[in-house]
Amino acid sequence: MAKLYVNSKHQMGHLNPELQGHFSEHLGRCIYEGIYVGENSEIPNTNGMRNDVVAALKEMQIPVLRWPGGCFADEYHWKDGIGPKETRKKMINTHWGGVVEDNSFGTHEFMELCKQLGCKTYINGNVGSGTVQEMSEWVEYMTFDGVSPMADMRAKNGHPDSWKVDYFGVGNENWGCGGNMTPEYYGNLYRHYQTYVRNYKPDSPIFKICCGANVADYFWTKGVLETTHKNNPPGAHGFMDGLSLHYYTVPLVWEKKGQATEFDEELWYRTLNKTLFMEELINNHGAYMDEYDPEKKIAMVVDEWGTWYDVEPGTNPGFLYQQNTMRDALVAGINLNIFNKHCDRVKMANIAQLVNVLQSVILTEGEKMILTPTYHVFNMFKYHQDAELLDSYIETEEIGMGEWKVPNLTESVSLGKDGKIHVTLNNLSVTDSYDIDAVFTETEIKAVEGTILTNKMDAHNTFDNPDIVRPESFDKVEFAGGNVKFTIPACSVLHLAIEV
Ligand code: AHR
């Protein structure tokens, strides 16, 4: 019997809703078809946004959405995406399949989408091929309320009121697709560009995000921090509120990543082992950040994470369309628990990507839409949003195959806004269930409600069978005093809501 210890009285930090954030890029069928179908589409929509997709995302309580990229961001010129649609410039999406981008989804449409979703806005600016003036004017266009050329232009385009930009990324992957820069070069550009990301709304300043590292590129983290922190005025913190990190779970190697639905047990453990590397990355990049920022004023923003497989056979290789199985559910559950446990430094994380690209929560085909196992995990974890992390520890054993070892269980526990204690527990074993005795100190439990997502390791939803993987209620729970006992089945993600 494995013990899960929860110190119900010891709060460890606040869980920002943005730890469950999302990312949408002009890539494949994410924006077009997946979210935006246009006002004249036969697919039911509101101002062009698919009603089914918006409703599902609201149910999941999407807290924040990043846009327009990704690599696309550093080639995006925002003025091409405003004004009458028929006059908007068409461009080539060089990164993603060389298709024509007609710019029919631009700033106004993104803001409309976030309004419908009720989520925060995260705009990623263009450093790679854009100018300081272009970035500065975009911020003015979106957020300035007075008389100015950009505010006037916005009003002429039908939106006299400004919008709120919650987060602004100054470039994306500038070590790679965003300009192949060195950390020193980018660090200096960051200082320069961010100066003109003006705060026109003093009560709700824009949270500025500096481009951080890819995976374990500590050289980048160190170089960017060193450059941005040189000769700072007091309290400047390198002129940033956040530093990003990108880490994708690729089961095999970049050239041949592995299939989304066809894999054996060894590949299951290999994938989960690789996903667990996220914790080491947060610790190591965090240690470099501690050198410059011991008080943890700068947030780590994991604004791209998730599985990356070979595309589904027969689909455009530039569109990154992949299926989503119970393996993805576990990848999501593992990462979301890791982010919770590191909420002292990690303040936002955005899974890639929202619809039809990489580890999506939603897949669409014409008017059909399915929710993936990853969607269900986010929906089960939403109770952690705005909750207080509780001190917890679970006894684990090492399982796996060959060199691909993982702990059998991972967890995180919070005190929710609803006053309940929320436990999210992952069983990483393909074959074994485990008996758990959860001990909550100084707590008298009144009721326990459970929801479980469990199935075969490669189970997934399809457009013909959309409900193969779906959460079910879990009531095989005994409780007395401060103890809860249950058995967690193999290959599952469990949420317990504990009334105290
Ligand atoms: O999410 C797909 C791509 O992955 C993004 O455009 C880029 O930032 C990353 O390399």
Side-chain angles (χ1 to χ4, degrees), residues 20-22 56-57 60 260 305-309 322-336 350-355 357-363 370-382 453 459-461 466 469-471 493:
Q20 297 176 18
H22 290 262
L57 295 174
M60 191 192 73
W305 68 272
T307 52
W308 194 324
Y309 307 123
Q322 63 188 41
Q323 251 292 359
N324 199 291
T325 67
M326 275 305 296
R327 178 172 58 161
D328 296 86
L330 267 295
V331 166
I334 290 168
N335 277 296
L336 292 175
N350 310 73
I351 190 170
Q353 298 192 6
L354 195 62
V355 188
V357 171
L358 300 176
Q359 193 179 346
S360 303
V361 289
I362 289 175
L363 302 176
I370 56 175
L371 305 176
T372 66
T374 299
Y375 174 93
H376 294 307
V377 172
F378 272 81
N379 205 25
M380 289 160 68
F381 272 67
K382 68 185 175 191
L453 193 72
H460 56 280
N461 296 331
V469 182
R470 67 182 162 146
V493 178

Side-chain angles (χ1 to χ4, degrees), residues 31-50:
I31 298 286
Y32 301 111
E33 288 185 43
I35 300 169
Y36 182 73
V37 287
E39 293 84 344
N40 300 325
S41 170
E42 289 189 351
I43 298 174
N45 69 84
T46 304
N47 298 329
M49 314 298 158
R50 289 181 72 127

